[in-house]
Amino acid sequence: MTSHEYTDGLAGAPPHEERRLSAILAALVADGTRTRIGIGELVGAMQGRAFGVLMFIFAIPNVLPTPPGVSSVLGAPLLLLSLQLALGRPAPWLPKFIARRSLPAAEFGAVVRRVVPWIARAERLLKPRLGTLARPPAERLIGFVCLLLAIVLFLPIPLGNMLPALAISIFSLAILERDGVAVLIGYVTAAVSVFVVAGVVYAMVVSAIFLLRHAVGWL
């Protein structure tokens, strides 16, 4: 199925530019004829909102308890998307080996059903304001910060996925709703996440040095 056919499958719904993220995700899950959700199809279906929607889709599962290794799998597309946003690309591009990948519709739907109520609540609070913070060229700074967060997310650091993923999710919603206040909240969350992860890394290094010294002493 092509992205054009997929978009046609949502015929009768408002254009994506006029629909909120909760409605877009609900429409994806409601398509019971699909067994898998193709990443390339998502890019085509989201059209002009692809950056915000895709970054949210890849980030939000890491905010929830997930099996080990999920953050590294979902972190790779986030690295590419945030880099392109930082470079000011008008639309995202994904290499074929990522665009051809797909997610089981059941697993995707389970995550969506858990987060859509929270997204809907957030959307009621979000609105276009301080728009210069959520539009180009300010989007480039958001992309750069998200790139740093995606690198942290990609690395196997304890507690290094939830807070960075939450910050990226907030940035994604801010871009979608053109809400500069949400962008500021995203920056604060990003700063907190970097501080926490830096503390974890510092503790790991100190512990490793302590164990090494004792190991050498025992020898």
Side-chain angles (χ1 to χ4, degrees):
M1 179 180 291
T2 66
S3 60
H4 175 70
E5 291 169 339
Y6 179 78
T7 306
D8 289 345
L10 297 179
H16 285 284
E17 291 292 343
E18 300 174 4
R19 300 168 67 208
R20 307 200 98 174
L21 178 58
S22 57
I24 295 174
L25 294 177
L28 289 171
V29 174
D31 185 2
T33 63
R34 307 173 61 81
T35 58
R36 302 188 70 85
I37 305 291
I39 293 175
E41 293 172 353
L42 282 173
V43 174
M46 298 307 171
Q47 301 174 7
R49 310 188 77 192
F51 270 120
V53 173
L54 289 177
M55 288 175 65
F56 184 88
I57 288 174
F58 287 119
I60 195 62
N62 293 285
V63 180
L64 308 172
T66 54
V70 171
S71 60
S72 60
V73 172
L74 299 178
L78 280 173
L79 287 170
L80 287 173
L81 291 167
S82 56
L83 175 60
Q84 292 174 58
L85 185 63
L87 294 176
R89 282 185 60 90
W93 171 87
L94 294 175
K96 290 183 178 180
F97 76 92
I98 291 181
R100 289 174 179 171
R101 297 180 68 177
S102 61
L103 308 171
E107 295 182 12
F108 180 79
V111 172
V112 168
R113 280 188 285 272
R114 291 174 64 182
V115 302
V116 159
W118 295 98
I119 297 173
R121 293 189 185 97
E123 287 172 339
R124 288 194 287 270
L125 300 175
L126 298 173
K127 58 185 178 181
R129 50 189 169 178
L130 300 180
T132 55
L133 296 177
R135 297 179 183 275
E139 276 187 351
R140 292 194 175 195
L141 178 58
I142 294 174
F144 177 74
V145 173
C146 287
L147 177 60
L148 296 179
L149 295 171
I151 293 173
V152 174
L153 184 66
F154 187 78
L155 297 175
I157 302 174
L159 302 178
N161 57 344
M162 295 184 71
L163 281 175
L166 177 60
I168 295 175
S169 299
I170 293 173
F171 280 127
S172 302
L173 291 174
I175 292 173
L176 285 168
E177 302 296 332
R178 300 302 183 190
D179 191 336
V181 173
V183 170
L184 295 177
I185 295 174
Y187 284 132
V188 172
T189 307
V192 172
S193 66
V194 170
F195 178 79
V196 171
V197 171
V200 171
V201 172
Y202 175 78
M204 291 173 61
V205 171
V206 171
S207 299
I209 294 174
F210 176 81
L211 292 174
L212 182 61
R213 286 177 176 175
H214 279 68
V216 173
W218 292 334
L219 295 176

